[in-house]
Amino acid sequence: VNPIDTTRPTWPETRLSRLLGIRYPIIQGPFGGFRSQRLTAAVSGFGGLGSFGATSLQPDEITALVAELRASTNAPFAVNLWISTEDEAARGSDRAAFERSRAALATHFAELGREPPAYKPYLPIRFDAQVRALIEANPPVFSFIYGVPPAEVLAECRRRGIRTIGTATTPDEAVALERAGVDAIVASGFEAGGHRGSFLRAAEDSLVGTLSLVPQVVDAVDLPVIAAGGIADTRGVIAALALGAEGVQIGTALLACEGSGASSAHRRAISAGQFTRTALTKGFTGRLARGIANRLTATFAAPGVEILPYPLQRALVKELTAVAESAGRDDLVPMWSGQSAGLAHQYDAVAFLRELVADVEPLAQAVVSWIQAKPRRACS
Ligand SMILES: Cc1cc2nc3c(=O)[nH]c(=O)nc-3n(C[C@H](O)[C@H](O)[C@H](O)COP(=O)(O)O)c2cc1C
């Protein structure tokens, strides 16, 4: 696949597009736990940066994944990991804690005609083994959330030419990532779908919206900033560029597209705009994350419900998801989504991106020139 089609409209080159070697500074948000290979390859093939969320993969699966992505596109792509793969309390969590958390889901399993899952000892996935496999596989880009990778990992990426993208939910997290030597930063506002990857303070104390976060991160660091959270159409992209972002990361609107790995019911739920409300909950996995408000999020919000530490809660809820999905019970499935679900209308990623680029292009150069000419912190 040749990613460059010279008949398409052009986009102003930013440091980010040069750094990543992409035509359009549009990044598909990685979706941890989803098999998004087709979407990842389609976005990269289009000239953006497709990403794959590999946090739930074992090291040998990461090796195979990178080979698969390399075979499906000549263009750059990102593989994403979580720096922190378990909560401190996970190792000490016992059978009694599991049974208390399972009790909250008992009526749902009963409704679905299934026995709730039995207690299983916990087998952690280790970031250090994952990242060793990732570095060996040498993907063009390594992106991550939930922290700053060890210095030797970043040094090895630099040596091999693997570009690194960290995720900040507050300006001080962005500064920590810059000091560690990452190449670019995703500034992720709380509108975003999926997990809040906060690492300096609790996620609940780090809830900054995209409109506030992006310009403060742009002011705080010298690195290219990628805006994420709530961007789902031309208006969002133009707004992000006007805030000083050099690129955008789009999650929810692309999760709705074919090949994202989300079920068709999930994709329909996002793009049909049938749900108007999302919720932040720890109930899906043990860590704060955003999804469509449904009966499952309400279950977790009920008084007295105990949530297991990450990733134990994730393993428990996964059992319910498998049964509920096959029974077509969307109300009992984690319907990951950001607040801009109501703006997502496309099932075809390339058609969506083509339309977005064509719409943004006439304005993009002017907005980028305007913001680049502005002295830092100038706001008039
Ligand atoms: C289902 C789902 C899974 C996600 N998993 C990850 C992940 O593993 N790593 C990560 O950095 N971001 C993850 N995100 C965040 C997205 O990559 C992206 O930054 C976010 O969705 C952007 O906000 P938006 O949903 O409003 O477009 C996930 C988002 C969703 C919806």
Side-chain angles (χ1 to χ4, degrees), residues 181-207:
V182 308
D183 294 321
I185 293 177
V186 171
S188 168
F190 77 11
E191 297 90 328
H195 287 86
R196 305 301 309 139
S198 307
F199 58 93
L200 290 182
R201 273 175 301 279
E204 294 86 340
D205 301 327
S206 310
L207 295 175

Side-chain angles (χ1 to χ4, degrees), residues 29-32 34 53 55 80 82 144-145 167 191-195 228-231 249-253 255 336-339:
F31 304 130
F34 287 73
T55 184
N80 179 276
W82 293 18
F144 44 87
I145 48 167
T167 307
E191 297 90 328
H195 287 86
I231 300 167
Q249 178 158 292
I250 299 178
T252 300
L255 187 66
W336 305 98
S337 172
Q339 291 184 322

